[in-house]
Amino acid sequence: MPESDLKRKRARVACEPCRERKRKCDGAEPCTTCRQWGYDCHYKRQTPQKRHAHQQPPSEDSPTLRPPQQIESVDTHGLDRRLWANSGAAFVRRMGLNIDPAKAPKLSLFGWNIGKRQLSSESQVVHPVLSITDITSLQHMRTLAQVYFAKIGPCYGFIDSFRFYERLDARWQSPTGSDLYDSVLGGVAALGCLFSQRNMTITELHLVGSALSILDTHVLTGTPPVDLLLGWTLRVIYMRMTDLPHSTWMASSRLMHLVEAAGFHLESTDSVFPRSIDAGFDRNIQRRLFGVALHLNLWTSYDLGLSRVTFQKNDLPLLPSTIEGDYTHEVLGLLPLSASLDPGKPKEDEMKLEDTLSQILERVHKEPPSTMAQCNLVLCILRRIHTQNLEISPRLAEKALSLLKKGLTCSRTMVSDCSPWQHMANVPFHIICVLLVMDTRHSLAMLPEAMHTLKLVTSTYDTNTMREAWSAALLLVMLHQQRRKDDIAIFNHVMNMEEQENPAGPPLQEFPSAEEYSWLGALVADLPSLQRDDLDQFLNSDMIDSTSFLGGSG
């Protein structure tokens, strides 16, 4: 047995960085975790304890118990890899560490959304919580609701617009008092502001504050009412587009617990546990709300590398029926494939990533928000493929790049349409990351368009969040550029050595013809990862200026 294996099995003490961060440690020097994350691996030396005289060393025949740490770490590194690949923040961090640990980006979800909306610094004062009828007029509420149902409702279609307008009119007929449904009215109107004004307004600030106050002060004495679920779902949607990741994860987890407590995840009536759903409640609305809540919690947990809320049964909703002009079913149709990426799944249940990627790419998503959700799922799978050092066929890679290119177009469309969906910034940033790690001519050719798209989002929504995302993207490109320069310098050094040893230089030789390289055809057939344009460029290398091709001064 190799010495390293003996050392790994006998390791009982974790290194100090792993102990401080509560990570699994394999006891190596340096350990695997520290090597991958760029930590300074070191161990706290302990004085060996003397063995008492009455203690006998274990015999070879007696069974030995492995330390609990070793038992639990059977698939530790596999789980860690899946967590890192699902989490865009960890993936970006590792990208930088693999190139230059000293300059790697910090661990952060760059471009997770456009960033927190705030008023100008002169207006940063504490505002009182107002009643919904005191914030704005009925006509303005109707205008904001129209924006919501035109831009957000078709993708997250869990609110009956006819019923909404009925209750909106009734609320203004009785302006005094307050009602739980005010959180729904305020949530819809706040999202209407977000999708119609590029900057925060005092109206939006009051709408958000009023809805949040109602939700936080509501005392739950039984099963959660439907209005509470509607209000919290709108709240989480707004947070996913504007707030910090951890706050959004906490809110989405609370929403999922409310969904379970209300029985919204159940298709059949349970006689033991009562539900807040009336017998005549629209099942499609129920499935849509459950699906949207699950979609938000699942992907927020993936992004942060944290656990998601799961149920004992009916973990996935049934697909709602299709409605003309509505594409909620497209987004919710991705849920089974998204759930299959759960990093906590047993190893034997791991999916075949290439087959799953092929299934997703075969799907047709027409509207920008739905297409961006599809792109986000594809990016996650591509990260998993890269992390596991797997390869995909050139045909599949070409289809993936085609979808990502479509995603960049959708992002620019969202900017021009004032539709700041969460993936408007998130997808372009992670497209840049995936293009860099794919590192092919086709992928790098898309890099200028991806950078231009992210720059457009940053210049339109000039927040600290977007500025950090743009800076991180520039840093990643710079690190890869520096890596290439270092590689070229090595080649130049080798060629200079040859020139110094043979100043006169060897006589120029004719390049062999393409016919003389016919044996390469069989090589390409055996190695499908070699692309045809790479072979053609190699065969016609005499057309390339040798100085520039090798990275010379020209």
Side-chain angles (χ1 to χ4, degrees):
M1 181 178 295
E3 183 180 350
S4 60
D5 289 348
L6 289 172
K7 187 173 185 179
R8 178 180 59 81
K9 287 190 175 183
R10 292 173 183 169
R12 296 173 180 268
V13 179
C15 67
E16 289 304 298
C18 289
R19 286 167 61 89
E20 292 174 0
R21 295 168 175 82
K22 293 182 171 55
R23 293 185 179 277
K24 296 295 184 182
C25 183
D26 58 11
E29 294 189 19
C31 71
T32 302
T33 301
C34 288
R35 287 202 309 271
Q36 291 177 336
W37 288 86
Y39 300 142
D40 179 18
C41 187
H42 60 281
Y43 291 81
K44 183 178 180 181
R45 301 303 176 187
Q46 297 180 350
T47 304
Q49 297 180 352
K50 294 183 179 180
R51 184 185 300 274
H52 295 288
H54 65 274
Q55 290 181 335
Q56 299 294 329
S59 63
E60 295 184 358
D61 297 332
S62 60
T64 58
L65 296 178
R66 290 183 297 170
Q69 177 182 346
Q70 296 176 10
I71 297 174
E72 296 174 359
S73 62
V74 174
D75 190 36
T76 295
H77 299 304
L79 174 61
D80 287 345
R81 283 196 301 270
R82 294 190 293 271
L83 282 169
W84 295 336
N86 280 5
S87 171
F91 187 81
V92 172
R93 172 70 174 163
R94 291 190 67 207
M95 280 180 62
L97 289 174
N98 289 336
I99 302 174
D100 189 345
K103 298 180 181 178
K106 63 181 181 180
L107 189 64
S108 176
L109 283 170
F110 296 107
W112 197 64
N113 52 32
I114 61 171
K116 202 169 185 66
R117 285 164 70 86
Q118 295 178 336
L119 295 173
S120 61
S121 57
E122 295 81 7
S123 304
Q124 291 299 321
V125 296
V126 178
H127 297 276
V129 177
L130 302 178
S131 171
I132 190 74
T133 55
D134 295 331
I135 295 174
T136 188
S137 65
L138 175 60
Q139 184 58 40
H140 190 209
M141 286 289 292
R142 280 184 159 273
T143 301
L144 295 175
Q146 289 171 1
V147 174
Y148 173 89
F149 286 111
K151 293 185 175 182
I152 304 171
C155 181
Y156 292 160
F158 59 89
I159 296 179
D160 184 337
S161 60
F162 179 78
R163 177 65 174 158
F164 175 87
Y165 285 116
E166 271 190 344
R167 297 192 66 169
L168 176 64
D169 292 337
R171 181 67 179 90
W172 253 255
Q173 291 175 6
S174 303
T176 58
S178 180
D179 184 71
L180 182 57
Y181 198 76
D182 284 1
S183 65
V184 180
L185 300 177
V188 166
L191 286 165
C193 289
L194 177 62
F195 277 67
S196 58
Q197 301 287 334
R198 299 195 187 278
N199 298 309
M200 170 73 94
T201 62
I202 190 67
T203 300
E204 181 181 346
L205 182 67
H206 280 303
L207 289 168
V208 171
S210 174
L212 178 60
S213 175
I214 294 170
L215 294 173
D216 283 345
T217 58
H218 179 77
V219 178
L220 194 61
T221 57
T223 55
V226 174
D227 291 352
L228 184 65
L229 269 66
L230 293 173
W232 266 104
T233 306
L234 292 167
R235 173 66 184 161
V236 175
I237 292 172
Y238 184 88
M239 294 181 70
R240 179 59 186 89
M241 297 178 185
T242 62
D243 216 323
L244 298 175
H246 282 87
S247 301
T248 306
W249 175 72
M250 293 287 289
S252 68
S253 298
R254 181 172 180 175
L255 171 60
M256 286 294 288
H257 289 303
L258 289 171
V259 166
E260 181 180 25
F264 257 57
H265 63 304
L266 301 174
E267 286 293 327
S268 58
T269 303
D270 194 323
S271 58
V272 178
F273 298 101
R275 301 193 299 168
S276 60
I277 310 174
D278 297 332
F281 190 81
D282 189 341
R283 282 296 176 85
N284 273 314
I285 297 294
Q286 172 191 342
R287 293 166 184 166
R288 287 163 180 261
L289 190 148
F290 173 32
V292 171
L294 176 59
H295 169 75
L296 294 168
N297 179 251
L298 185 146
W299 279 105
T300 304
S301 67
Y302 284 177
D303 291 339
L304 288 169
L306 299 173
S307 59
R308 67 182 183 93
V309 178
T310 57
F311 302 143
Q312 294 180 352
K313 54 182 178 180
N314 289 11
D315 198 27
L316 294 175
L318 296 178
L319 280 179
S321 59
T322 58
I323 302 174
E324 185 177 357
D326 180 278
Y327 48 93
T328 307
H329 63 283
E330 290 184 6
V331 177
L332 301 188
L334 296 171
L335 278 175
L337 295 170
S338 300
S340 68
L341 292 172
D342 192 329
K345 282 182 173 294
K347 189 171 183 179
E348 59 271 14
D349 292 343
E350 284 188 5
M351 60 180 179
K352 295 182 178 179
L353 292 173
E354 187 168 359
D355 293 344
T356 305
L357 178 61
S358 180
Q359 292 179 44
I360 299 169
L361 293 174
E362 292 297 327
R363 296 177 60 91
V364 178
H365 291 248
K366 299 178 181 178
E367 298 298 325
S370 175
T371 301
M372 295 295 259
Q374 183 186 20
C375 287
N376 185 53
L377 181 53
V378 167
L379 287 167
C380 185
I381 292 180
L382 290 176
R383 291 195 297 264
R384 290 276 283 265
I385 288 173
H386 173 76
T387 303
Q388 297 181 25
N389 297 318
L390 303 176
E391 291 187 359
I392 58 176
S393 66
R395 181 192 63 82
L396 203 57
E398 184 177 351
K399 292 184 67 175
L401 289 175
S402 178
L403 176 65
L404 297 183
K405 188 176 182 67
K406 183 180 178 183
L408 294 175
T409 302
C410 291
S411 178
R412 295 192 295 272
T413 300
M414 290 176 175
V415 173
S416 62
D417 193 38
C418 191
S419 298
W421 289 91
Q422 59 266 26
H423 293 317
M424 182 181 70
N426 189 45
V427 164
F429 179 84
H430 286 287
I431 285 178
I432 292 170
C433 299
V434 167
L435 294 179
L436 290 172
V437 297
M438 289 180 74
D439 197 18
T440 65
R441 283 188 177 87
H442 288 169
S443 67
L444 294 180
M446 281 179 57
L447 193 57
E449 182 183 357
M451 292 294 287
H452 167 73
T453 303
L454 185 62
K455 182 64 175 177
L456 178 64
V457 179
T458 304
S459 60
T460 304
Y461 294 89
D462 186 20
T463 62
N464 289 333
T465 299
M466 290 309 307
R467 286 192 292 272
E468 286 185 355
W470 175 246
S471 297
L474 286 176
L475 175 60
L476 290 172
V477 173
M478 182 273 291
L479 290 176
H480 279 77
Q481 181 188 40
Q482 187 60 48
R483 177 69 176 269
R484 289 294 173 86
K485 288 181 178 179
D486 294 343
D487 293 343
I488 292 173
I490 294 174
F491 286 119
N492 285 339
H493 178 65
V494 172
M495 297 306 295
N496 290 336
M497 290 172 56
E498 176 66 19
E499 291 177 1
Q500 292 173 4
E501 293 178 2
N502 301 292
L508 294 177
Q509 298 180 356
E510 293 292 333
F511 283 96
S513 63
E515 288 75 11
E516 294 179 78
Y517 277 119
S518 59
W519 57 273
L520 279 175
L523 177 62
V524 173
D526 293 335
L527 298 175
S529 61
L530 286 177
Q531 299 184 12
R532 184 67 205 180
D533 56 351
D534 297 331
L535 176 62
D536 292 341
Q537 183 171 355
F538 177 75
L539 293 177
N540 296 285
S541 58
D542 56 306
M543 300 174 61
I544 303 175
D545 179 75
S546 59
T547 304
S548 62
F549 182 71
L550 293 174
S553 59

